[in-house]
Amino acid sequence: MADVARIAGVSTMTVSNVLNDRKAVSDSVRARVIEAVETSGYVMNHSARALRKGATGVIGLAVPGLDNPYFSLLADRVVARAGQLGYRVAIEHTSAKVEGELAAVAASRSLDYDGLIMTAVEIGPEEARRLGRTIPLVLIGERSVGGTVDHVAMANVEGTRAATAHLVERGCRRIAWASVPDPVGDTNNVLYLRHQGYLQALEQAGLEPDSGFRVDPGGLTLSGGRAAAHRLVDDGMDFDGVVAVTDSVALGLLRGLADRGVRVPDDARVVGFDDVNEAQFSVPSLSSIHPGHDWMVDTMLNLLLERINGTRTGTGRELVAPYELIVRESSA
């Protein structure tokens, strides 16, 4: 830094102000320092800087995988918003397994991340409590950990209930549910919670749930949704609407129903959940539950930074994002 200052004819403090993007530097001086940095080949020693500041400026984001449109959307928004707050984001891949989730926390500690945001799929309250004592941690997803750490969730029951009620209001009476089976004995899971919303809406409408209208896509993927649509039609199910557990499944359903000559929304209406970017571009465009993406990202980052900065300690907060039903062509 002293060499850069000498080349630019400024103080080391001025160089520091430029490198840290502080405002108290004129444009002409800033340009001179940047030219000196490029001329000298100066590279900031981030390890020394982290030791001095007690922080690295990096947070982790652990998700099951980026091949899922929802998690890629989430990662994109977290990276963008964290950048505005002065943080870089490292992505960790958990494969929705407890081993992957524990490994993500271990990596965050060994690489000195300032904190970690993680989609909790399998870790329980005791593990969360223990992990939250080792690194600032915010959990997202559906596995509530009883206030042991901060947790931001979607309105899964309420959202799916609204999606199903929407189809009822559109005149549907034989509404199929497209999802992989609920995990046995686990009522704290997105699959179970969204299925409950579907069942509650049927009950409120005076409709009896029919196990024959439940179709397993075999996976929460586009290809799974397509295969589920084929089974619905090939098995002769007399359905007039489908609620899909995720948009990936719903988008696959649209393709599969088109394969079999079923017109959406004329012959059957379809609603998904997550409101991924692709939903508005499918043909027909997909109606979906928007789970409050921006609210969730802002909230989880605010919670994490409060922990990192030490402005809040103690019991974790449990917050649920607001949702909105986005009506598009698939249920119009």
Side-chain angles (χ1 to χ4, degrees), residues 3 58 60 115 266:
D3 293 335
V58 177
D266 298 334

Side-chain angles (χ1 to χ4, degrees), residues 15 23 146:
V15 174
K23 303 301 181 184

Side-chain angles (χ1 to χ4, degrees), residues 18-318:
V18 171
L19 294 177
N20 287 284
D21 200 28
R22 300 188 185 106
K23 303 301 181 184
V25 182
S26 68
D27 291 342
S28 60
V29 171
R30 186 180 300 275
R32 204 159 74 238
V33 170
I34 292 173
E35 182 180 358
V37 168
E38 294 172 348
T39 300
S40 65
Y42 171 78
V43 177
M44 186 183 293
N45 187 328
H46 289 281
S47 297
R49 182 171 183 249
L51 285 172
R52 184 176 71 253
K53 297 179 66 175
T56 60
V58 177
I59 59 176
L61 174 65
V63 296
L66 292 176
D67 56 344
N68 181 298
Y70 169 72
F71 290 117
S72 61
L73 180 154
L74 175 70
D76 181 71
R77 295 191 182 203
V78 170
V79 169
R81 182 68 181 123
Q84 294 172 354
L85 298 171
Y87 283 85
R88 299 188 69 82
V89 179
I91 309 295
E92 301 287 344
H93 190 296
T94 68
S95 298
K97 302 294 184 183
V98 66
E99 296 84 1
E101 293 168 3
L102 296 176
V105 176
S108 299
R109 292 200 305 266
S110 65
L111 295 172
D112 291 326
Y113 297 165
D114 293 342
L116 176 67
I117 297 170
M118 181 166 67
T119 299
V121 177
E122 292 200 350
I123 67 169
E126 288 306 315
E127 291 166 321
R129 181 183 293 108
R130 175 170 53 83
L131 297 173
R133 289 197 292 261
T134 66
I135 187 173
L137 177 66
V138 174
L139 298 183
I140 54 177
E142 316 330 313
R143 185 163 297 282
S144 173
V145 290
T148 55
V149 297
D150 294 321
H151 177 228
V152 180
M154 294 182 190
N156 288 294
V157 175
E158 300 85 347
T160 314
R161 187 168 60 221
T164 309
H166 167 65
L167 293 187
V168 173
E169 292 166 1
R170 288 292 191 267
C172 298
R173 293 297 179 268
R174 301 176 305 281
I175 303 171
W177 170 245
S179 175
V180 297
D182 302 350
V184 177
D186 186 357
T187 60
N188 191 18
N189 179 282
V190 62
L191 301 173
Y192 175 85
L193 295 173
R194 293 185 184 179
H195 187 209
Q196 290 305 300
Y198 162 81
L199 294 175
Q200 288 177 15
L202 293 183
E203 181 180 1
Q204 290 172 1
L207 300 174
E208 286 290 331
D210 186 338
S211 60
F213 282 154
R214 178 163 185 167
V215 60
D216 180 3
L220 304 181
T221 61
L222 294 167
S223 59
R226 184 179 192 175
H230 291 171
R231 282 195 292 276
L232 279 171
V233 178
D234 296 346
D235 291 349
M237 296 184 189
D238 184 24
F239 65 98
D240 57 8
V242 186
V243 178
V245 68
T246 68
D247 278 358
S248 291
V249 173
L251 291 167
L253 278 163
L254 294 180
R255 176 68 262 174
L257 293 175
D259 292 343
R260 293 298 190 262
V262 177
R263 299 169 300 165
V264 177
D266 298 334
D267 301 326
R269 304 176 194 271
V270 176
V271 181
F273 196 119
D274 289 334
D275 196 30
V276 298
N277 293 329
E278 293 81 357
Q280 58 188 308
F281 296 106
S282 61
V283 180
S285 56
L286 177 66
S287 296
S288 183
I289 296 298
H290 180 85
H293 300 301
D294 291 333
W295 186 94
M296 289 185 68
V297 169
D298 284 343
T299 300
M300 67 179 72
L301 285 170
N302 288 338
L303 291 172
L304 187 65
L305 294 186
E306 287 176 353
R307 296 289 185 182
I308 292 172
N309 298 331
T311 56
R312 186 169 56 84
T313 58
T315 305
R317 299 182 64 188
E318 292 263 357

